[in-house]
Amino acid sequence: TLGLATPFLRAVQYLAPPPAAPVQYFVDRSGTLIGIASAALGLPSGEKSRVPWPPGVALRFTKRLRRGGFAPVCADIPFSDLNMQLVGSGAASGRLRLVRVGEGDAVAIHTCDTADTTAYVRFDSSEAPPAILAQSPRADISGFYDSPLSGELEAIVVTAQRSEVVPLSEGGRRLQAELARVRAAIDDANTAGGADETLELSIASRSLADDVWVVRSQSDTAPATFWLLAPYTSGSPRELLCARPALRGLSAALSPMAAVSIPARDGEQLPGYLTLPRAHQRLWSAGASDASSTPPPPPLVLCIHGGPNERDYAGFDPWVQLLAARGMAVLSVDYRGSTGYGRRFCNLAHGNVRGMHEDVEDARRWAVATGLAAPHRIAILGASWGGYLALGGATEVAAATTASDDDAAASPRYAAVVAIVPLVAVGAANTSPAFRSDPLVAQYWRQLYGPSVAKDVKAAAALSPLHRLENLDKAVKLLLVHGERDPRVPREHGDAVAAAAMRAGLAGAHLTYAREGHAIRREPNVLHMWHAIERFLCDAFALPAPPAVEARLFQGNTCTVQWDSVGVYGMCEEEKADAEKTLAYLAWRHPRLASYDPPPSGTVSSSASSSPPTKAPRVDALVVHGNSMVACPLGAADLFVDVLYPAGCRAVILTGGVGRETPPLWLELASRGLKPLFSSEHGGGSAPPWSNDRPPAHVALPAQGISSKPVLDGFDLTLAPEALRAYASEADVFLELFLSRCRERGLGDCVAFGGNPMADGKDDTATASRRRDGGTAYVYLETASTHTGTNVEFSRATLRVLGLDDQTAAVAVVQQPQLHLRTCLTWQKQTGRQPLGWTVRPTEAAVGRSFAEQLRYALGEVRRIPAYAKADKAFCVMPDDFPHEAARRLEELEPTIQAALDLEVAAKARGSAAAKA
């Protein structure tokens, strides 16, 4: 389009100025428009023009003449010479300034083309030479103070390591002295333990009469506070508001920043800031006298700013303080291309993206060489372009040129990487369409990348982390964060790295936030993200876990987990603790059996960890309910061997038909290596072994003398209960497991199969009574029921067949932990008595179920118990101590639980696909 328009533009440039789009308007105190800064399509117009041909974008200052009309202030500033801090990244976000000077048409502007650093320059006419009014060779101008009475520029603010006021007149020196007086007054009011050397003041607002100021104070360890005062008097400032009142008085617990200068490999000095945890402040400060008492250095997080045309500042940074409070040192570095230090330093990055990576790597080496960090205890964190450099550091974009340049102990270079909305491919290797239609952005990236990276895919791929993941050490942990509506770096960038990392078997997580763009801004999402980051880094550095966070702070977060192999996503510690309490509540144990725990898996005798009751309770029968969980019949067998059989119990009922949870039971048997119990090799039947990803077609049931019984495969169970009994049931499975465990524990000769009284009629009351008087315990089946209510009802009927009064018999009940309480409450409802309930502990190791899967069951139970207790035909009683508030909080976690389950399903699918491959 520009090419076609060029002849036309050449023709009309003599009749009208070249096309321009306003960037910022300038008005005087009366609100009158006095000038415009525009992004202009620059065309050659005589020798003064420095804009190249073909035309490119340039910054143009235009002033409004007092006699009417507009005129250029100076020659257009080509994009290649533009200081981006001057312009900013959004409307009126930079440091642009244009004011009238005197009574004529002279103006003063803040510009960047008269010296290395930005300067405040007077232009009387476009032909007259400019006059520099204010400029600092150390850093760009970052602020201006004008007298509201005279309009005189009194002082400028320059920020090198820290901000300082540079007076330009007598009024400026008076202002500087007044700020010093106010600073001392605020410092005295805020600090009881000594002066805060990092306290900085700025004037937020001045009245037109200059008799009232609003001053903003901030230090490294104190958030922004606003004060009202009458200047140039002896009055004390009065506090208006504090940005973070919860941190008031905690300055002594926070960590100050120290400005550092880091040598780069080519001799450049890179500005930066180092924040140490409070515990390391004294011993690691310069001049510590006793080196022998110096503790090991804390883990270090290298924080990389985005942009790249940005910079870091000293002052209160909540995220730096968060990491320091967790015991981590934080080092930020202003790599070449950072703004604020003049045009030369910024332009060092043009066509030299690798140089930025080298600066980051040099900062890492400097931290190791100076003893501030141990090579294996460094993480790197960045957002946007900083995320790109963080991934580049971990994928070794800035590899050492010679072996002697590198520290041999630094593999991996980073223990963990946190990349927030990161760019993962640059230049010609970046196929993302984002911003492709914006000529200004396109010109900016061409200038930054240089012709080679911009056009050569191979050269660009060498600088793109996505194409260098083979260099990411397997020991590195990776956390990716992305907004799902990011217009600058589309989420596909993070997806691509996450997919490649998963294929490579790396450890990490990928979190995306709905309705977020190129920054995570919504408060619940910000808090959720940083809590995930602190947990991730504490885990990577083996630091204590962060303290619990109130669940309400995360309510409404829009996080979705795309990948998580390190457990960074999930509940905060408080939520997890509440959920664990709910699981423990549902896994209720009767006080007389509460102390017993089975021996560890794989042992065949009681261990020191087992605690049988000192006086075992009398139990007439043990009832093990259908639960599709292998751990329960095995745990029930241990309970029987260690506690109930020695106390005289001789009857066991295993209850459970064919339900929706039966097919997964066969898969668990396979995963636990228990298939031989149901195969021809074990029992002499004709049933073959089965695969680990599908239930078998039929199985052998040796304890019942059955060589082959069909297995129902599928979850759409439409058969009647009588028809379902033709298939292998949960109770059939439990019988083999229970008897096998009794044999392992040395009780095999004393336990025998007693039949299925409700189904086959092979037993009667007299026979059962004689059996209870002997030394042999008999195990019976109850396979007619299909849910908990009939489980209890049919188990009671079986007790009656065995000659036991189901209303008075002492019955021990075992069910899986999450369903156990409701089962016991159902027994209490039907018999009027509380059974001797016992179940295994609700831990992943004990039950063979993930925490999320247990919570899925628990979520259903905290809903069912109140509903079933209030139903017309109440299935269970309602406990007086039911935790309604905990149940409500668990329901709020349902999206989190489902997300974790989805991750587990995806992980199993990947594992299955890998196994097949």
Side-chain angles (χ1 to χ4, degrees):
T1 303
L2 285 174
L4 294 173
T6 296
F8 171 76
L9 294 173
R10 278 188 178 280
V12 303
Q13 65 175 313
Y14 299 103
L15 304 177
V23 172
Q24 186 169 337
Y25 294 99
F26 303 99
V27 298
D28 61 17
R29 286 193 294 174
S30 67
T32 301
L33 178 67
I34 60 172
I36 304 172
S38 305
L41 183 63
L43 295 172
S45 59
E47 294 182 359
K48 291 187 300 178
S49 174
R50 292 180 287 112
V51 180
W53 190 267
V57 178
L59 178 67
R60 174 177 301 152
F61 285 98
T62 305
K63 63 183 176 181
R64 187 176 188 177
L65 303 175
R66 294 185 185 274
R67 65 177 182 272
F70 288 85
V73 173
C74 55
D76 293 350
I77 304 173
F79 193 86
S80 58
D81 292 339
L82 195 58
N83 185 315
M84 296 302 291
Q85 180 166 312
L86 183 70
V87 180
S89 58
S93 65
R95 302 288 192 274
L96 292 174
R97 174 182 170 90
L98 183 152
V99 297
R100 281 177 171 163
V101 181
E103 299 299 322
D105 288 326
V107 296
I109 63 172
H110 185 201
T111 185
C112 59
D113 67 339
T114 57
D116 179 37
T117 55
T118 63
Y120 190 53
V121 182
R122 173 173 176 152
F123 288 89
D124 288 293
S125 68
S126 58
E127 290 78 19
I132 296 179
L133 303 178
Q135 186 254 342
S136 169
R138 295 183 298 114
D140 295 334
I141 299 173
S142 55
F144 299 86
Y145 287 130
D146 296 309
S147 168
L149 296 173
S150 65
E152 173 196 29
L153 177 62
E154 296 178 318
I156 60 172
V157 180
V158 175
T159 306
Q161 294 181 340
R162 294 187 180 273
S163 296
E164 59 180 290
V165 175
V166 179
L168 302 176
S169 65
E170 184 58 37
R173 285 183 284 276
R174 184 168 176 249
L175 178 143
Q176 184 184 42
E178 177 63 7
L179 283 176
R181 182 191 73 83
V182 174
R183 181 190 183 282
I186 293 174
D187 198 18
D188 289 342
N190 283 351
T191 57
D196 185 349
E197 299 295 336
T198 69
L199 183 67
E200 294 183 357
L201 263 63
S202 60
I203 302 175
S205 180
R206 302 166 75 176
S207 65
L208 290 177
D210 205 23
D211 56 355
V212 179
W213 286 2
V214 174
V215 172
R216 179 183 187 271
S217 69
Q218 177 179 287
S219 75
D220 297 352
T221 58
T225 304
F226 293 86
W227 307 79
L228 185 69
L229 71 138
Y232 309 119
T233 68
S234 59
S236 299
R238 178 168 61 87
E239 182 178 327
L240 290 177
L241 61 92
C242 178
R244 300 172 190 268
L247 295 180
R248 191 189 308 276
L250 296 180
S251 292
L254 302 179
S255 300
M257 289 181 172
V260 297
S261 183
I262 301 169
R265 64 189 67 187
D266 62 354
E268 286 291 332
Q269 291 295 314
L270 310 175
Y273 297 97
L274 175 66
T275 304
L276 294 172
R278 268 292 180 181
H280 292 77
Q281 287 286 336
R282 183 180 63 84
L283 291 173
W284 280 97
S285 62
S289 58
D290 185 5
S292 63
S293 65
T294 301
L300 176 75
V301 180
L302 191 54
C303 284
I304 312 300
H305 69 70
N309 291 146
E310 290 285 349
R311 62 158 291 179
D312 287 310
Y313 291 92
F316 183 80
D317 186 320
W319 313 123
V320 169
Q321 294 298 335
L322 175 71
L323 299 180
R326 300 293 175 256
M328 304 171 218
V330 181
L331 175 64
S332 61
V333 56
D334 284 329
Y335 48 85
R336 66 195 63 211
S338 301
T339 51
Y341 302 102
R343 186 170 57 192
R344 184 198 68 84
F345 188 76
C346 188
N347 289 355
L348 286 175
H350 290 177
N352 186 22
V353 174
R354 184 180 295 278
M356 299 186 199
H357 289 280
E358 291 173 346
D359 288 347
V360 172
E361 170 65 8
D362 290 345
R364 184 194 68 82
R365 294 184 190 176
W366 174 82
V368 173
T370 56
L372 289 170
H376 297 295
R377 301 263 288 169
I378 304 176
I380 187 167
L381 180 154
S384 189
W385 187 262
Y388 160 68
L389 292 177
L391 289 172
T395 55
E396 303 181 6
V397 169
T401 55
T402 66
S404 60
D405 288 337
D406 205 1
D407 45 300
S411 181
R413 279 174 164 76
Y414 298 101
V417 180
V418 180
I420 305 168
V421 295
L423 188 72
V424 302
V426 296
N430 181 10
T431 59
S432 168
F435 279 177
R436 291 298 174 88
S437 61
D438 189 323
L440 179 61
V441 173
Q443 182 173 342
Y444 169 75
W445 288 115
R446 284 196 303 270
Q447 176 175 293
L448 181 68
Y449 291 146
S452 176
V453 175
K455 298 179 180 179
D456 186 341
V457 174
K458 184 176 180 180
L463 299 175
S464 300
L466 178 61
H467 301 288
R468 300 181 56 84
L469 288 178
E470 70 279 2
N471 295 320
L472 195 61
D473 195 283
K474 300 293 185 183
V476 175
K477 293 183 177 181
L478 176 64
L479 176 59
L480 300 166
V481 177
H482 230 103
E484 294 184 4
R485 294 182 180 176
D486 191 335
R488 299 190 182 186
V489 182
R491 179 188 138 184
E492 288 73 19
H493 281 245
D495 290 343
V497 171
M502 283 189 286
R503 288 194 300 270
L506 300 176
H510 182 204
L511 313 182
T512 62
Y513 289 86
R515 301 189 299 280
E516 293 284 13
H518 193 57
I520 309 303
R521 298 186 184 278
R522 298 169 186 261
E523 186 174 78
N525 291 337
V526 172
L527 297 175
H528 184 275
M529 177 186 73
W530 276 100
H531 187 53
I533 290 172
E534 66 168 344
R535 291 173 59 184
F536 173 76
L537 291 175
C538 284
D539 178 70
F541 288 136
L543 294 171
V549 176
E550 295 181 49
R552 64 179 178 81
L553 296 177
F554 299 151
Q555 287 181 6
N557 77 79
T558 60
C559 180
T560 299
V561 181
Q562 308 299 334
W563 165 53
D564 184 7
S565 66
V566 292
V568 67
Y569 178 80
M571 308 168 195
C572 66
E573 296 304 313
E574 182 183 25
E575 292 170 332
K576 186 176 181 181
D578 281 347
E580 289 172 342
K581 289 178 183 177
T582 303
L583 289 179
Y585 177 81
L586 295 174
W588 173 80
R589 290 180 172 188
H590 192 281
R592 297 179 67 186
L593 296 175
S595 64
Y596 174 73
D597 285 307
S601 177
T603 62
V604 295
S605 61
S606 297
S607 69
S609 64
S610 301
S611 303
T614 54
K615 184 178 180 181
R618 183 189 68 84
V619 174
D620 295 310
L622 167 65
V623 179
V624 184
H625 281 273
N627 49 58
S628 298
M629 185 177 287
V630 169
C632 283
L634 296 178
D638 286 321
L639 176 71
F640 185 74
V641 171
D642 291 332
V643 180
L644 303 184
Y645 181 84
C649 180
R650 297 294 183 266
V652 180
I653 300 173
L654 305 176
T655 176
V658 180
R660 292 187 178 275
E661 298 297 326
T662 308
L665 178 60
W666 298 106
L667 303 183
E668 185 182 356
L669 290 168
S671 67
R672 285 176 172 257
L674 297 171
K675 292 188 294 184
L677 292 178
F678 304 89
S679 66
S680 56
E681 288 84 350
H682 179 77
S686 59
W690 65 86
S691 66
N692 284 7
D693 56 356
R694 288 191 63 81
H698 51 277
V699 293
L701 301 172
Q704 301 179 58
I706 298 174
S707 61
S708 179
K709 192 170 185 178
V711 172
L712 186 64
D713 181 11
F715 294 87
D716 185 18
L717 304 174
T718 58
L719 298 175
E722 295 77 12
L724 289 174
R725 287 171 59 188
Y727 294 91
S729 68
E730 294 171 350
D732 292 327
V733 173
F734 297 164
L735 178 64
E736 303 300 332
L737 296 175
F738 190 92
L739 294 180
S740 172
R741 184 60 172 164
C742 286
R743 288 193 295 269
E744 289 180 1
R745 298 294 309 280
L747 200 64
D749 294 338
C750 301
V751 182
F753 174 52
N756 191 338
M758 294 287 292
D760 55 29
K762 292 181 180 179
D763 206 342
D764 56 36
T765 302
T767 303
S769 297
R770 288 193 300 273
R771 287 177 174 176
R772 290 200 305 277
D773 295 334
T776 300
Y778 288 88
V779 185
Y780 302 91
L781 298 183
E782 186 284 294
T783 60
S785 56
T786 56
H787 62 79
T788 304
T790 55
N791 277 166
V792 175
E793 180 182 342
F794 284 27
S795 297
R796 291 171 54 219
T798 302
L799 287 173
R800 291 193 293 271
V801 171
L802 300 181
L804 293 169
D805 185 343
D806 61 300
Q807 298 294 321
T808 61
V811 178
V813 171
V814 175
Q815 172 66 289
Q816 70 152 290
Q818 289 74 55
L819 308 183
H820 184 66
L821 176 63
R822 180 164 57 88
T823 301
C824 292
L825 295 173
T826 303
W827 273 91
Q828 187 174 348
K829 174 69 177 180
Q830 293 189 18
T831 66
R833 299 183 61 196
Q834 190 179 62
L836 292 164
W838 182 89
T839 186
V840 295
R841 302 286 183 189
T843 64
E844 293 187 9
V847 303
R849 296 285 194 277
S850 70
F851 188 57
E853 192 170 358
Q854 293 183 70
L855 291 181
R856 176 173 66 88
Y857 277 103
L859 187 60
E861 287 303 291
V862 297
R863 289 167 172 165
R864 291 188 193 101
I865 290 175
Y868 285 5
K870 295 177 182 179
D872 292 337
K873 297 180 180 180
F875 292 103
C876 64
V877 298
M878 185 67 185
D880 295 334
D881 62 345
F882 186 80
H884 293 280
E885 183 61 25
R888 182 190 64 77
R889 289 195 295 268
L890 188 62
E891 291 192 63
E892 291 176 351
L893 291 173
E894 186 170 12
T896 300
I897 297 169
Q898 187 57 53
L901 289 170
D902 292 343
L903 283 174
E904 292 172 6
V905 170
K908 289 178 181 177
R910 289 194 300 271
S912 178
K916 290 179 180 179

